[in-house]
Amino acid sequence: MSGPVRSDAPGASEVSETFEFQKALREAFWAALVALGLFGLIVGLKTDQTLSNEIVLKPRPGLLAAMVGAVFIGSLLRNWVVWNRARAAMHRTASGSRIDMQKVEQIGLPAFIAFLSVFPVIVIFTAGWGSVPKWVDNFGILILIYIMLGWGLNIVVGLAGLLDLGYVAFYAIGSYTYALLALHFGFNFWLALPVAGAMAAMWGILLGFPVLRLRGDYLAIVTLAFGEIIYLVALNWRDFTGGGAGLSAPRIDFFGIPFGAGDTDFSARFGLEHSPAYRTIFLYYVILVLALTTAWVTLRLKRLPVGRAWEALREDEIACRAVGMNTTNTKLTAFAIGAMFGGFAGAFFGARQAFITPESFVFEQSALILAIVVLGGAGSLVGVVLAAIVLIGGSEILRELEFLKPVIGEDPSKFRMLIVGGGMVLMMLWRPRGLIAARAPSIFLKERKMIGSENVKEGHG
Amino acid sequence: MEVFLQQVINGITLGSIYGLIAIGYTMVFGIIGMVNFAHGDIFMVGCFVALIMFLIVTAILGTGGAAIFVALLICLIVSVAVTGLYNWTIEKVAYRKLRGSFRLAPLISAIGMSILLINFVQISQDARNKPVPSIIDGGITLMKGQTFDVVLAYKDLLIMIVTAVLLLVFWYLVQKTPLGRAQRACEQDRKMAALLGINVNKTIAVTFIIGAGLAAVAATMWLVKYNVVSYKDGFIPGVKAFTAAVLGGIGSLPGAVLGGLLIGLIESLWSGYFSIDYKDVAAFTILVITLIFLPQGILGKPEVEKV
């Protein structure tokens, strides 16, 4: 694979100069008919409960017509865009300039880190102390937690190419380790943090050891099952985990000094007026450091033999085995290191929430983290950041769009997971190997030539 | 003894439903080697179509006497048609382009589809449980016990008969008809099958439609047995059916049903004798154990990875 030929480039001779409107119309008609079949019952009729819990059907012809119409117009537009692009490709000689994603990665990450380290200051100066809970807590900390989880999972999915559908289990193990250690042995956050990471890594090894011999999709299903088992155990083992009622955990403190209103607490000792915002800002910097550590370790590991081995494994497992690599151990390190960062994030989550329930660790969370990694383009650190900001920040913004409710008839924030699911499918169709993932050769003759992801097939490049 | 017999009957009924769903996993896996993660949610969509059709038909025909069977038959047919259309569309839109793509692309796409379907149904039909009045009552008392009688409910009997008949029909379809031959040919070597004039795309599409159709039958039976439907109903039965498919040997039709029956029996005996809280844990544990120690399943052939 060396030429710049893309698999979806249309054959130039097949494109006609005029848009075949009739053909497109026929296609759109069929698409609309299929849509009518798909949506006719499920969208066209709504099952509503009466007071006596009896179900009645409420017809929604307007919504149904709108959706079928949208499919009809969408199909027409799609045909037109495809034709337009094909015609443009025929007239163009050069392949056109494309953004060098590798450059984006190199410039984007430092710029992003610089912005993040001053983010709370910007918030305080532009919006005042009162907006700290909203902007720093709801946006900043929440997004950073997901960035960290995304970066942790990225080691497993993006670098080693192992699909982990139960990553949230390690997050849960970290959280419960922290909460239980604090409850029974009085550990504070800083003491519990390494234990939580070690515990998650240990579970990663315990789970990974027998299952990592499996082929990719079986591995994915086993990790899914493991995630569900951890969730169900947390839900049902009431004596140990508190069951559905949850478990309270101590809030984070400033290296031993609690953030309270008392005389020996943080604000009194430093001669400041008491405000809960200090804790929030401290939490922000803690998760920022944790997340950046994850990124730094990932970048360093990538250059070590083990990191190279992960990437080789992702590209072609059979070849790796043929050259005598111990694939199980290589996978196990990726799995354990990814799990460890999940455990750290979990302990942080416990210290932030001060209260954990099994409902924070459902499969949907795993799917969301996976979606962040996939939509960010598996393997790319900046991609994960962008995807986390769009998915997590976007859903916070959807919550702000309450005024749209009368227009679309539903709470806009409900559409978050719908968009996540659709996004995953589109990403796979459009660029399955990721946005930025490019192959950098480790041995070269004169200059290091990057190989774009679109030119790399499994077992090639 | 009464507990054991009753739980065996429950287990076989439940297992029949899992088996019907498992056939969809096993056929798709057999022909294109992908785990159709969205299949459980296809089943859930089938449940909702059956529920809505049931409400429409009973509103017209009433629920008395033979009308209920006519109503169920109409539900079954419509649910099979609509659910088949769903799977056909999904295959065409989300999976077909990914056939030659990297290993995990179809699975990730299917996970996306699964999330999409769950949330589509949740938004369009809201998140509450949807109960209907009991559809088929009564049963045959098999044994008088001291604390309770062992009853084979008519609905359980119906579910067992439907599964058995469908299994025979599909066994015949795959073994003896040109369609089945085309399917098996695609399974062995897609490129060679195409060279020999088999329409590969059509064969794969038909496989998806059949899988969804059987899931829709299972969905109608689910409605008959439990009389309640929720948007969450796809996930857990889906995973259990997948476990059944792997346990029985993925790619094997009788294996899927055998696996389904085993999973159903284990689940109901577990809830009868141990803890009902942990019944899903038991199912997931079996999945993990099967995948680790017996990945080729009971009736499957060991897989050889070729370069």
Side-chain angles (χ1 to χ4, degrees):
Chain A
M1 295 289 286
S2 55
V5 183
R6 288 183 53 177
S7 56
D8 58 345
S13 56
E14 292 164 24
V15 187
S16 73
E17 276 298 321
T18 50
F19 182 49
E20 290 171 17
F21 190 67
Q22 236 174 354
K23 191 171 154 240
L25 211 60
R26 211 180 309 133
E27 224 168 90
F29 170 75
W30 282 109
L33 204 66
V34 170
L36 186 68
L38 294 181
F39 302 142
L41 287 170
I42 294 208
V43 176
L45 295 163
K46 165 89 168 65
T47 48
D48 261 334
Q49 263 113 325
T50 58
L51 284 175
S52 56
N53 216 13
E54 204 177 334
I55 294 204
V56 287
L57 290 172
K58 197 177 76 185
R60 286 186 294 198
L63 184 63
L64 179 62
M67 284 183 72
V68 172
V71 169
F72 182 80
I73 293 166
S75 168
L76 273 183
L77 271 180
R78 187 183 154 271
N79 262 324
W80 188 77
V81 168
V82 166
W83 166 78
N84 221 10
R85 218 194 269 160
R87 199 184 53 161
M90 196 169 65
H91 288 295
R92 198 173 50 206
T93 43
S95 63
S97 67
R98 299 220 352 255
I99 310 164
D100 186 351
M101 285 303 194
Q102 208 68 26
K103 283 257 165 58
V104 173
E105 182 97 303
Q106 274 163 10
I107 303 165
L109 205 58
F112 164 74
I113 294 167
F115 171 73
L116 278 185
S117 30
V118 292
F119 177 68
V121 182
I122 297 174
V123 167
I124 291 164
F125 274 103
T126 53
W129 285 93
S131 61
V132 164
K134 183 181 161 194
W135 285 102
V136 178
D137 198 31
N138 281 359
F139 274 82
I141 295 180
L142 199 63
I143 291 174
L144 276 172
I145 289 179
Y146 280 96
I147 288 176
M148 177 165 180
L149 288 170
W151 279 344
L153 184 61
N154 184 43
I155 297 175
V156 185
V157 177
L159 291 185
L162 307 166
L163 192 56
D164 185 349
L165 294 180
Y167 191 62
V168 84
F170 303 118
Y171 187 46
I173 287 169
S175 277
Y176 275 100
T177 306
Y178 168 58
L180 289 167
L181 282 177
L183 186 71
H184 296 299
F185 303 105
F187 275 47
N188 73 358
F189 173 72
W190 297 103
L191 279 175
L193 186 68
V195 185
M199 194 66 128
M202 191 195 82
W203 275 96
I205 292 170
L206 274 183
L207 170 74
F209 198 70
V211 305
L212 285 171
R213 292 177 292 122
L214 300 174
R215 40 174 291 172
D217 33 12
Y218 277 16
L219 174 72
I221 303 286
V222 170
T223 52
L224 166 86
F226 175 67
E228 282 302 299
I229 290 172
I230 293 285
Y231 164 71
L232 288 167
V233 168
L235 190 65
N236 289 314
W237 195 2
R238 291 180 196 89
D239 305 331
F240 187 61
T241 64
L247 208 58
S248 61
R251 287 185 182 279
I252 201 162
D253 50 34
F254 186 77
F255 306 108
I257 310 168
F259 288 94
D263 285 342
T264 55
D265 290 349
F266 178 79
S267 34
R269 277 207 198 180
F270 288 85
L272 298 163
E273 208 175 312
H274 172 66
S275 159
Y278 295 130
R279 179 192 288 130
T280 311
I281 291 169
F282 182 63
L283 277 171
Y284 177 86
Y285 281 108
V286 169
I287 185 67
L288 181 63
V289 169
L290 283 174
L292 290 180
T293 310
T294 315
W296 184 72
V297 169
T298 309
L299 284 176
R300 302 300 298 175
L301 281 176
K302 249 173 119 168
R303 299 200 183 137
L304 288 177
V306 68
R308 298 225 184 278
W310 288 342
E311 288 191 286
L313 201 61
R314 175 188 66 191
E315 298 308 321
D316 198 330
E317 190 177 336
I318 297 169
C320 284
R321 255 187 269 162
V323 297
M325 225 168 83
N326 185 341
T327 52
T328 311
N329 279 1
T330 311
K331 285 176 178 178
L332 211 54
T333 47
F335 215 64
I337 291 173
M340 181 181 74
F341 286 116
F344 287 150
F348 175 81
F349 179 75
R352 178 210 176 211
Q353 296 297 99
F355 183 70
I356 47 174
T357 64
E359 295 313 309
S360 310
F361 310 111
V362 290
F363 173 66
E364 200 183 74
Q365 288 292 320
S366 283
L368 193 60
I369 303 165
L370 180 68
I372 288 172
V373 175
V374 169
L375 295 183
S380 145
L381 294 180
V382 173
V384 167
V385 172
L386 293 178
I389 291 173
V390 169
L391 289 185
I392 308 301
S395 70
E396 292 296 316
I397 288 169
L398 281 178
R399 224 163 270 164
E400 305 277 309
L401 296 176
E402 282 285 317
F403 62 90
L404 273 179
K405 204 172 170 176
V407 185
I408 47 180
E410 289 286 350
D411 207 346
S413 60
K414 276 190 184 173
F415 289 87
R416 177 176 80 165
M417 287 310 279
L418 197 72
I419 298 166
V420 166
M424 280 170 91
V425 176
L426 290 179
M427 192 70 194
M428 283 300 112
L429 293 174
W430 178 51
R431 196 164 274 188
R433 298 297 262 173
L435 274 177
I436 303 178
R439 310 289 172 265
S442 45
I443 300 174
F444 45 91
L445 187 59
K446 285 194 183 99
E447 55 171 331
R448 188 188 292 255
K449 282 183 186 154
M450 289 293 174
I451 304 160
S453 60
E454 67 273 14
N455 289 331
V456 184
K457 264 179 97 181
E458 192 155 3
H460 296 267
Chain B
M1 192 62 200
E2 296 95 60
V3 177
F4 179 76
L5 266 182
Q6 190 64 59
Q7 292 299 357
V8 165
I9 291 171
N10 288 343
I12 291 173
T13 318
L14 201 57
S16 306
I17 294 177
Y18 291 155
L20 283 174
I21 309 172
I23 293 175
Y25 278 111
T26 231
M27 283 172 87
V28 166
F29 191 93
I31 201 161
I32 53 172
M34 85 175 260
V35 178
N36 184 7
F37 198 82
H39 193 65
D41 304 294
I42 284 289
F43 161 77
M44 181 270 299
V45 168
C47 285
F48 268 89
V49 174
L51 171 81
I52 291 169
M53 270 323 283
F54 183 76
L55 291 170
I56 297 173
V57 178
T58 47
I60 300 166
L61 294 176
T63 51
I68 201 93
F69 288 99
V70 179
L72 277 180
L73 192 67
I74 295 172
C75 277
L76 202 67
I77 293 166
V78 173
S79 183
V80 166
V82 174
T83 316
L85 189 64
Y86 263 92
N87 225 10
W88 176 79
T89 314
I90 289 170
E91 194 272 329
K92 200 169 153 65
V93 173
Y95 305 153
R96 188 169 294 181
K97 253 187 86 178
L98 297 178
R99 254 178 239 157
S101 189
F102 89 113
R103 196 160 41 95
L104 293 174
L107 181 58
I108 294 174
S109 184
I111 293 168
M113 247 333 167
S114 158
I115 299 171
L116 192 74
L117 281 177
I118 294 176
N119 286 277
F120 164 65
V121 172
Q122 189 195 349
I123 292 169
S124 56
Q125 296 291 338
D126 80 52
R128 278 173 296 184
N129 283 338
K130 307 285 177 190
V132 287
S134 178
I135 296 171
I136 298 172
D137 292 317
I140 309 157
T141 307
L142 293 180
M143 199 173 106
K144 292 266 182 220
Q146 283 149 354
T147 46
F148 67 94
D149 300 343
V150 178
V151 178
L152 174 62
Y154 290 130
K155 59 185 179 188
D156 291 352
L157 195 62
L158 177 75
I159 292 168
M160 291 172 199
I161 292 170
V162 167
T163 308
V165 169
L166 279 176
L167 186 64
L168 285 178
V169 168
F170 279 93
W171 178 245
Y172 176 80
L173 197 74
V174 172
Q175 291 297 325
K176 306 282 175 197
T177 62
L179 171 69
R181 268 196 295 281
Q183 273 180 336
R184 280 180 289 144
C186 290
E187 219 167 282
Q188 284 177 5
D189 191 336
R190 250 189 344 251
K191 204 176 267 173
M192 193 64 213
L195 285 172
L196 293 176
I198 291 169
N199 188 338
V200 175
N201 278 343
K202 196 180 128 199
T203 312
I204 292 173
V206 169
T207 308
F208 271 84
I209 294 173
I210 291 173
L214 290 172
V217 175
T220 314
M221 298 300 131
W222 183 272
L223 186 69
V224 170
K225 181 158 173 64
Y226 291 106
N227 306 315
V228 63
V229 168
S230 144
Y231 76 98
K232 286 185 195 152
D233 279 351
F235 183 62
I236 296 279
V239 173
K240 284 178 186 161
F242 177 74
T243 312
V246 176
L247 188 61
I250 201 143
S252 147
L253 226 82
V257 177
L258 180 70
L261 289 176
L262 274 173
I263 293 288
L265 280 172
I266 292 168
E267 184 184 333
S268 63
L269 289 174
W270 182 285
S271 350
Y273 286 102
F274 300 107
S275 138
I276 200 154
D277 284 343
Y278 284 101
K279 72 179 163 80
D280 290 343
V281 175
F284 286 121
T285 311
I286 293 166
L287 174 59
V288 174
I289 291 172
T290 315
L291 283 176
I292 294 171
F293 295 108
L294 198 72
Q296 77 274 18
I298 298 169
L299 298 181
K301 295 176 285 279
E303 195 182 342
V304 183
E305 213 166 331
K306 283 181 232 160
V307 182

